[in-house]
Each structure stands twice: as C-alpha cells, then as structure tokens.
Amino acid sequence: MPYKANESRRHKIPKARYRVENWAAYDAALRRRGDLTIWVSPEAIAAWTPPATGRRGRPSRYSDIAIEAGLMLRLAFGRPWRQTEGLLDSLMRLLGLDLPVPDHTTFSRRRANLEVARALAKADGPVTVVIDSTGLKVFGTGEWHLEKHGGTARRAWRKLHLAVAPDTGAILASALTTTDDGDASLVGPLLDQIAGPIGTVLADGAYDGEPIYRTVAARAPEAEVIIPPRATAVPSDTAQRAPTQRDRHIQMIAERGRLGWQRAVQYGRRSLGEVAMMRYKTLIGRSLRARSLPAQKVEAAVGCTVLNIMTSLGMPISRKVA
C-alpha cells in the first residue's frame, strides 16, 4: 500500500523483501543478454542495399534495415556512433558477409527519417495495459558543473509515454512528446498501436476524467478502466440510473475506503508500469542521445524494441516474503 496512506507511521513500516523464485532461469537470461551470436536472414541480406530507383542523383547505398541495425546495436551496448560503426564492421567480417557498413555520419543523418515498425509486442487474447509516462533528459549542464560553478540548470526534457503489459513486462506501445503535451492526450494514440483486444486499462490519478473513459470505450467498449478518482471527485448526474465505471469506483471508495478499493480492483498492478520505465532507464539510458525531436522519437521507439528483446529472454518471478 502507498506510504502516503500511512504518513504518520511510515518510519515504522519495514522495507518489503522479495524472493526470486525462478533464479536459475533468470540467471541464464541475464547471461544471454551478453551473447554476441548474430544471425542475419537471407531477406535482410537481400534488402541491405536498396535497388536502383532510376531517378536522377546518387542512389542510396544503405537501406533502412542497415540504419536500424546500427541504431539497435548502439542502444543495446551503449556505444557512440563511431564505436557502433566499428562493431558492425567487425560483425560483418566475422560472419563473412560482403555488405557495406554505413559510417557514423550516415547513421547520424539517416536516423531522423527512419521508418520504425509501430507494433512492439503482441499478446494472445485480451491484454491488460498499464499506461504511464516518464521524463528523459536531452541535454544541459551536468550536476558536477553546477556543483562547482553554480548557476541554474538548463536542461531540456522529453516525455516517454508507455503502454505496458504487466504480466510479461513487454512494452505494447510507446510515444515520445515534448513536455507541453499532457499525459491524457496520448491515451488514444497508445491504444491505437495495440493490435489485439484490450481487456483492462490501468493508470494513475493524473489520467482521471470522463474523457479518458470515452477514449478507452471508443477503442475497446468492453474494456475495464481502473483509474483512481481524485479526492474531490463526485458521481455523474446519471449515477443513480446508469452509473459509469468511474461512478462505481467513486461508490466503492466511499464504502470501502481508498485502500480497500485498491485491493478489490488489484490496482497494485499499475506499479509494474513504473518497473518498465525503470528498466528502460537502466538498460537504455536516462537521456536521449539525439538532438532533434524526429530523431529522438526514432531513438525511443527503437529503444523500446531493444528492451522487449531483452525482456523476451527471461524475467524474474518474485514473491513477497515479509
């Protein structure tokens, strides 16, 4: 339960301890994340160099597949473009493939216009979706510079919006925006990226409001929406004769209390969305390397793809022990 509900005695609440029940499988998955085994399909080899278009001017030497492969390697191993170029070139030599490798300037220039597949992960049957957002730093004076020379921080931020499947930890949809875009405005675009049926949508109190319920209903009329109403929330005018989902949440909170409502609707699953954001920042990074917004959007989308690949190798199954 949230600490803010036990503010008066939070200093007495012990830290929760968890035990990983599938440690052997998870340990093997962590080792596989460092595996450098590379397999290139014949289709990728054939599409590595685009065919001539017959148009005037110099034809493109590298397809989007080559640029995306370099971007995925860069984000997976956290290397600059020059080192990524050297890594990809060495892989081509080890595989015995006579394919050209883009130089670092080509990688940097072409990534902004890269077409990335929007479908990140697929689920069988109705899926539970957790929606949340987090901030990624773009640039600015570092902490040490501010500590030594003073001044004010001049950082720019972007908001990464994620739709996560809490059962598997896979990212189902993503969107990168500026800080001017509200979280609620991205619910529709995120749900539109999910191909399969949606069973449940969870989000925190920042998404509370009838517009969000209408947006979810337009995409999945039968979906259950679990969003904590604000403390000042009141039932709608039709709550007596035709209560909405939000009206039922307000009524249940009035009867059982907010903590009782959380237990009844299993609201604790929403925290798994924050776990996915923590994993993104730990494995991919807390800042964006690109400087333009189009390139940053591509970088975030490819970063989510890389994170899903790591997730598919294996995830820990934890059980609270005390």
Side-chain angles (χ1 to χ4, degrees):
M1 293 302 163
Y3 283 165
K4 63 183 179 182
N6 302 277
E7 182 67 28
S8 60
R9 60 184 186 92
R10 62 182 299 179
H11 61 284
K12 298 181 180 180
I13 300 177
K15 184 177 180 180
R17 295 190 299 119
Y18 295 86
R19 177 177 298 168
V20 179
E21 296 182 337
N22 63 333
W23 175 248
Y26 181 53
D27 183 62
L30 292 176
R31 293 195 301 270
R32 286 195 297 270
R33 291 182 185 180
D35 191 355
L36 282 176
T37 301
I38 302 295
W39 178 75
V40 184
S41 65
E43 293 79 9
I45 295 176
W48 191 269
T49 302
T53 61
R55 298 177 182 177
R56 297 181 61 183
R58 182 179 178 181
S60 299
R61 191 180 181 189
Y62 314 103
S63 65
D64 288 346
I65 292 179
I67 305 301
E68 186 174 355
L71 183 54
M72 293 182 68
L73 288 174
R74 186 193 190 203
L75 296 177
F77 294 98
R79 298 291 89 192
W81 277 127
R82 287 179 175 83
Q83 297 181 21
T84 302
E85 176 188 350
L87 173 61
L88 188 57
D89 184 64
S90 65
L91 291 176
M92 292 300 178
R93 293 198 307 270
L94 292 174
L95 293 173
L97 296 176
D98 187 19
L99 295 177
V101 175
D103 58 84
H104 56 276
T105 56
T106 302
F107 276 127
S108 180
R109 184 179 67 255
R110 289 276 305 275
R111 63 179 173 177
N113 300 321
L114 186 64
E115 293 292 337
V116 181
R118 300 308 305 171
L120 290 172
K122 297 181 179 180
D124 298 330
V127 64
T128 299
V129 180
V130 177
I131 297 178
D132 207 343
S133 65
T134 187
L136 297 177
K137 187 169 66 173
V138 179
F139 60 85
T141 304
E143 286 77 5
W144 170 247
H145 186 277
L146 294 176
E147 179 71 20
K148 185 176 181 180
H149 301 286
T152 58
R154 298 180 58 188
R155 299 182 181 90
W157 296 82
R158 299 288 184 257
K159 293 178 71 173
L160 177 62
H161 307 262
L162 298 179
V164 182
D167 298 333
T168 62
I171 298 176
L172 303 173
S174 68
L176 187 77
T177 65
T178 63
T179 55
D180 298 330
D181 296 319
D183 295 342
S185 63
L186 270 296
V187 173
L190 288 175
L191 296 180
D192 291 339
Q193 297 179 32
I194 303 175
I198 299 174
T200 306
V201 176
L202 294 100
D204 59 26
Y207 295 85
D208 177 44
E210 284 298 336
I212 300 300
Y213 287 83
R214 290 195 297 267
T215 300
V216 177
R219 171 62 176 81
E222 303 299 327
E224 180 185 10
V225 181
I226 301 176
I227 300 176
R230 293 180 174 87
T232 57
V234 296
S236 64
D237 297 335
T238 61
Q240 296 297 329
R241 61 180 186 275
T244 63
Q245 292 195 58
R246 187 169 184 265
D247 292 334
R248 290 193 289 269
H249 290 319
I250 296 174
Q251 181 181 4
M252 186 181 298
I253 290 175
E255 295 174 352
R256 305 187 183 185
R258 191 164 291 268
L259 296 184
W261 171 83
Q262 291 184 5
R263 286 190 291 265
V265 300
Q266 298 181 358
Y267 178 70
R269 293 174 292 173
R270 189 202 62 82
S271 63
L272 297 176
E274 299 179 357
V275 173
M277 295 177 181
M278 181 272 294
R279 296 182 63 245
Y280 183 98
K281 293 185 176 182
T282 301
L283 299 176
I284 306 301
R286 297 178 176 271
S287 60
L288 294 164
R289 299 164 178 82
R291 290 296 175 259
S292 64
L293 183 58
Q296 291 165 359
K297 291 183 177 181
V298 172
E299 180 181 330
V302 175
C304 292
T305 302
V306 172
L307 188 60
N308 278 348
I309 295 175
M310 295 183 179
T311 302
S312 65
L313 297 177
M315 289 287 289
I317 301 176
S318 302
R319 177 176 59 87
K320 189 175 181 179
V321 294

